[in-house]
Amino acid sequence: MLSGVGKTTFVGGPPGPANALSIRNVTTGAPGSQAAAAINGTAPVQTLDLTVPQGPVGPTGPVPWGNITAWVTGLVCVASAPATQVTFGNEAYVCTASHIAGAFAVDLAAGRWLKVAAKGQDGINGVNGTQPWKTQPAAWAASTGYSATAPADCITYQGSSYVCATSHTSGASFDATKWALLAQAGAASAGALQASYNLADVASVPLSRMNLLAAPLDAQSYDAIQLAKLRGVLFPPGGLVDGFLSSTGYDTVNSVNATLQNGQILNQATDANCKYLNHFDGTNGATSSAEATSGHTTTFNGSAKLSTAQSLFGGSSVQITGSSDTVTIASTADFGFGTGDFCFEFWFDPTSNSGTQVLLDTRASSAVGFQLQMIGGVLRYYDWNTGGYITQGTTTLVGGTGFKLRVARKSGVIYQLINGNPDASGACTSNYGTSMPLTLGNQYNGGYSAPGYYDELRISNISRETTTYTPATSAFTVGSSGLLDLRSIPRALLVVPTKAILYARVLKTAGSLNFGSGGNLTGSVSRTGNVADGSAATFTQIDADPVTGVITLRSAPIDLTGQTSAASLRGRLQTNDNALGVAIDGWDIRAVA
């Protein structure tokens, strides 16, 4: 400030420092409260505290992906939230374009799926644990060394079971402090079975009679005993009579189209739907193999030959090694499937799975037919009529094991199965005409050799099973006619019967089993000399067997009028349905009034 006479002048000072204002705290206030701000401190350094009221809760947003599920053909897939999420081949995918699921590989290539989780690596095997105690307890004994170190000793004493808790040598008496109780002895029975005790309060009187072998027996009790006999519960195996369970269990002279395999009698009647069958049986190095069916020309080409190094059944298979090796079947009307069903099945053990290989080719030119290809060890069905792949397999075939392969068409859908398990499927309605050839082991004009061993080739004009099934455990067979006439060895009864009932335990192996009135499986009792048989009778099923697919049948009473002897009675099963395969593993006959 300057002063003069009658006058004062103010002069401004130098500029001060810039104020530095920073946010110190931000606090969420109660919903509906006022916002507030407070400045703290003095310039040039100050802070700001803010209070911001909490806003209302917003609406819940959509779930981006739906619950994950296994992919199946025909699944309705949506891309909008929540989008469809599936698993396929142990990997997870989310739908990016709405569609109806067809062939997964086709949909994936079209950009309808986005992989969101790849298959993880297999974990390492854990270390085997130590067995805690021995699994075969022995009776306790004095002056015996017992160890508590794993696997510890186990003993039984007065009906109870113990494991050694402290290693020791036993004295003259049992020392419970050295043992840990595993199983306590059961309580003593409340009373002995006496004549005054009856079966009135038992839920299943026939089954109780069977267990007690009590009399008198009603029809249900007889059925219960037959079930026990045929299941091997009483006098195993096979019941009181060894039925068809051994080579001497059936009459090999008078039985037609029956053979013993793996403890069962199998119906070896002609399968009318089998159009070609070749077991590739023969000597090592042979360059031909006779088909089990007839009417076709089968040729080994190049260095294709039989080999005893690998096989499924019979001790040999056909080996494909070089690029010119094939087995061909000349074009035949038996392979004229048109737009209908068919089934090609064979056993294959590859010696290489790299690149593109053709296992089957049904063409004589590039125009009509299909191929079963293997690309990098994975099977694919290629339809030459439409020029595209129909299936994309999920199983990788590697050498040294051998695989039972089946490719079939059923109602316009191609199915691939490996060892009885579905591998892939896809729609295909192509018309394959009235005849086709077959090339095994390469493309018909070469270039895509599939080296390895091939065995048990069967071609049918039906689809056969297209879902999970149990593959054959013995070679396919073809009989001389559609008739099965199976007669047992003679069975002597204690009395001369006027009527008899036949029991049989059977398993349907193919076709439709109908054992009722007018059915395709009937039973009778064959008499002396196998000539004058009792009247044919239909069956009734009397159980739900614990073995899947096996049922026990009881015939209606079979009239044996004129029977004069209790000996030489034989059970007899018959069918004239050439599509029906039946396995029989037990039978019995009982006389009735």
Side-chain angles (χ1 to χ4, degrees):
M1 180 179 68
L2 300 175
S3 300
V5 178
K7 183 177 180 181
T8 301
T9 302
F10 292 89
V11 178
N19 191 24
L21 182 64
S22 61
I23 296 176
R24 186 178 66 174
N25 297 312
V26 178
T27 305
T28 300
S33 63
Q34 294 293 321
I39 298 176
N40 306 289
T42 58
V45 178
Q46 293 179 302
T47 59
L48 178 64
D49 290 339
L50 298 176
T51 301
V52 182
Q54 178 179 337
V57 177
T60 302
V63 177
W65 298 346
N67 293 331
I68 196 164
T69 186
W71 180 92
V72 293
T73 301
L75 181 67
V76 177
C77 307
V78 296
S80 57
T84 302
Q85 190 180 186
V86 301
T87 59
F88 185 86
N90 296 318
E91 297 183 314
Y93 299 81
V94 65
C95 180
T96 56
S98 298
H99 64 286
I100 304 297
F104 186 84
V106 174
D107 293 341
L108 181 64
R112 297 168 184 154
W113 295 105
L114 173 66
K115 184 189 294 186
V116 295
K119 177 182 177 181
Q121 294 182 344
D122 293 336
I124 61 175
N125 292 330
V127 178
N128 291 333
T130 302
Q131 181 179 325
W133 56 69
K134 297 176 181 178
T135 58
Q136 297 295 329
W140 178 86
S143 303
T144 302
Y146 291 105
S147 173
T149 304
D153 289 315
C154 289
I155 56 97
T156 59
Y157 180 74
Q158 294 184 349
S160 297
S161 297
Y162 299 85
V163 61
C164 185
T166 303
S167 298
H168 67 286
T169 298
S170 60
S173 61
F174 180 74
D175 184 356
T177 64
K178 300 291 195 299
W179 299 92
L181 180 65
L182 289 178
Q184 180 69 49
S189 172
L193 184 62
Q194 301 174 4
S196 59
Y197 293 93
N198 56 52
L199 302 176
D201 58 347
V202 178
S204 177
V205 173
L207 186 58
S208 298
R209 285 176 175 168
M210 181 200 76
N211 292 332
L212 296 172
L213 295 181
L217 300 179
D218 55 20
Q220 288 182 328
S221 300
Y222 274 117
D223 286 353
I225 289 179
Q226 294 303 139
L227 289 175
K229 288 164 62 177
L230 295 179
R231 293 177 187 171
V233 176
L234 299 177
F235 307 100
L240 294 176
V241 177
D242 193 16
F244 299 132
L245 294 180
S246 72
S247 59
T248 59
Y250 74 103
D251 181 353
T252 58
V253 175
N254 295 284
S255 297
V256 178
N257 290 337
T259 187
L260 180 75
Q261 289 186 17
N262 300 323
Q264 292 179 325
I265 301 299
L266 298 181
N267 175 8
Q268 300 303 317
T270 299
D271 180 350
N273 300 114
C274 175
K275 297 302 178 182
Y276 182 87
L277 175 62
N278 200 320
H279 305 300
F280 296 121
D281 290 343
T283 58
N284 191 53
T287 56
S288 65
S289 176
E291 63 171 301
T293 44
S294 62
H296 308 95
T297 302
T298 304
T299 306
F300 286 31
N301 305 293
S303 58
K305 61 182 179 299
L306 296 183
S307 171
T308 56
Q310 300 282 357
S311 72
L312 176 62
F313 306 121
S316 65
S317 62
V318 63
Q319 182 181 16
I320 301 295
T321 54
S323 59
S324 62
D325 295 359
T326 60
V327 175
T328 56
I329 304 171
S331 184
T332 171
D334 283 339
F335 302 163
F337 304 121
T339 58
D341 296 351
F342 57 79
C343 180
F344 288 69
E345 50 195 326
F346 60 99
W347 178 83
F348 177 55
D349 189 359
T351 53
S352 168
N353 64 1
S354 62
T356 299
Q357 303 178 18
V358 176
L359 280 67
L360 298 177
D361 193 351
T362 64
R363 302 174 302 143
S365 65
S366 61
V368 176
F370 71 86
Q371 290 179 335
L372 181 62
Q373 300 180 0
M374 184 174 69
I375 303 178
V378 176
L379 296 181
R380 301 192 69 177
Y381 183 102
Y382 189 87
D383 179 42
W384 280 88
N385 291 40
T386 58
Y389 287 102
I390 303 300
T391 65
Q392 168 68 53
T394 58
T395 302
T396 301
L397 306 187
V398 295
T401 301
F403 299 87
K404 297 175 181 178
L405 307 182
R406 175 177 291 183
V407 57
R409 179 163 68 181
K410 180 179 182 180
S411 302
V413 177
I414 297 297
Y415 296 90
Q416 283 175 199
L417 297 99
I418 300 176
N419 291 338
N421 298 307
D423 180 55
S425 62
C428 178
T429 57
S430 292
N431 189 334
Y432 293 136
T434 58
S435 65
M436 284 196 305
L438 179 69
T439 300
L440 184 71
N442 205 333
Q443 186 167 267
Y444 80 97
N445 57 354
Y448 296 93
S449 177
Y453 300 89
Y454 298 75
D455 201 2
E456 203 64 14
L457 173 64
R458 182 171 72 167
I459 303 171
S460 309
N461 64 355
I462 57 173
S463 61
R464 303 194 185 274
E465 298 92 337
T466 55
T467 57
T468 302
Y469 72 98
T470 302
T473 57
S474 57
F476 296 126
T477 55
V478 178
S480 58
S481 72
L483 175 68
L484 169 69
D485 189 346
L486 175 61
R487 309 183 194 214
S488 73
I489 57 174
R491 167 74 186 279
L493 300 181
L494 296 178
V495 297
V496 178
T498 58
K499 292 184 180 181
I501 287 179
L502 176 68
Y503 290 86
R505 190 165 183 253
V506 304
L507 168 66
K508 176 184 71 67
T509 62
S512 177
L513 176 61
N514 180 2
F515 49 81
S517 178
N520 56 9
L521 182 68
T522 60
S524 62
V525 174
S526 178
R527 306 200 207 185
T528 304
N530 301 296
V531 178
D533 295 336
S535 58
T538 57
F539 288 101
T540 298
Q541 182 176 342
I542 63 171
D543 75 328
D545 202 281
V547 180
T548 302
V550 178
I551 60 176
T552 303
L553 304 176
R554 179 194 62 213
S555 76
I558 299 169
D559 187 7
L560 299 176
T561 301
Q563 184 75 22
T564 59
S565 171
S568 300
L569 291 179
R570 305 163 186 259
R572 185 176 181 185
L573 294 173
Q574 293 173 285
T575 180
N576 58 4
D577 187 341
N578 60 15
L580 177 63
V582 183
I584 302 97
D585 65 0
W587 74 278
D588 200 6
I589 301 170
R590 75 175 177 89
V592 294

